[in-house]
Amino acid sequence: MAKIGPGVVVTGLTLGALAVVSLLAIQANGAETRTAAAGPRPGATGSPSASPSPSASPSAALAALPAASGTGRRVVYSVSARQVWLVDPKKTPQVQAAFAVEPGSVSPETGSFTVYSRAAATTGTDGRQVEHVVRFAEQSGTVFGFSAAVDGATPSPDPKVRTGGIRESRENGQTLWDFAPTGTRVIVIA
C-alpha cells in the first residue's frame, strides 16, 4: 500500500479549505445582493426614475423566516412584514431568496394556497404593464398574485381600487417566477 506524504495531505486540506471559503464568499455575495434589492426600490414614490437611498430604519431590514411558516418547498408571504421568502429545505441555505414587496390595496386571508396560474406579461389592475405574474388565490372577487411592473415602479396602491397584486422589483419578480411554477405552495401569514 502506498504511503501518502504530509505534503499531499496539507495540499488536500488547503484546497478543501479554499473551496469552502469560496462557497461562503459566493453565498455572502448573494445575500448582500438580495438585501440590497430589498431596500428602497426605484419608483417607490411612484416615479420609476427615483433613485434608491439607504434607510437608517431597522424595520427596513429583512426579517428572518418565521418559525410558523409551513414546511416543505414553498413561497412564504407575510402581510404585516411586506416580505416574501422562497424556501427549499432540500437546498443550503433553505431560504433561497427573501425580499420586500408592496402589497395591493386588499390583503389575502392567511393560509395555504397553491400557484394556479401564471402569465409572462399582462396588464395589472392598476393599468400598469406587469410581468412574471404568479397567481395563488381568489377571494371575494379579488385575484391575489405576485408581479413586477415592467417600468420597475412599485408605488403604493390606490386605496379606492380593489387590487390583490403584490409588487416586487423586476429582479425579484424573475427570481419568484423561476422558483414558483404552477402547483407551488404559497403560505400567507399575518
Side-chain angles (χ1 to χ4, degrees):
M1 182 168 221
K3 288 192 172 198
I4 299 175
V8 173
V9 172
V10 170
T11 300
L13 290 173
T14 302
L15 289 174
L18 286 172
V20 169
V21 168
S22 296
L23 176 63
L24 291 174
I26 290 168
Q27 287 179 338
N29 185 35
E32 180 180 315
T33 301
R34 287 188 300 271
T35 301
R41 296 168 309 276
T45 61
S47 168
S49 63
S51 60
S53 59
S55 174
S57 167
S59 64
L62 292 177
L65 177 68
S69 64
T71 59
R73 190 174 187 285
R74 65 203 183 276
V75 174
V76 177
Y77 169 49
S78 171
V79 174
S80 62
R82 295 179 168 200
Q83 185 172 326
V84 168
W85 296 264
L86 308 181
V87 184
D88 188 344
K90 293 181 180 178
K91 298 200 176 172
T92 303
Q94 289 187 22
V95 176
Q96 296 290 292
F99 47 86
V101 294
E102 183 65 37
S105 61
V106 180
S107 295
E109 296 174 9
T110 59
S112 179
F113 304 92
T114 303
V115 173
Y116 69 87
S117 170
R118 293 169 23 119
T122 190
T123 302
T125 310
D126 60 1
R128 290 185 185 273
Q129 292 300 306
V130 294
E131 63 186 0
H132 300 123
V133 180
V134 177
R135 298 177 193 97
F136 62 89
E138 185 173 347
Q139 299 164 352
S140 301
T142 301
V143 174
F144 294 94
F146 304 102
S147 64
V150 173
D151 66 5
T154 54
S156 296
D158 180 349
K160 295 177 278 184
V161 178
R162 189 172 174 85
T163 178
I166 303 161
R167 293 286 166 80
E168 64 241 343
S169 71
R170 292 186 79 188
E171 178 184 355
N172 291 334
Q174 179 71 57
T175 300
L176 194 142
W177 175 265
D178 293 341
F179 183 86
T182 301
T184 302
R185 283 189 323 126
V186 177
I187 308 297
V188 178
I189 58 176

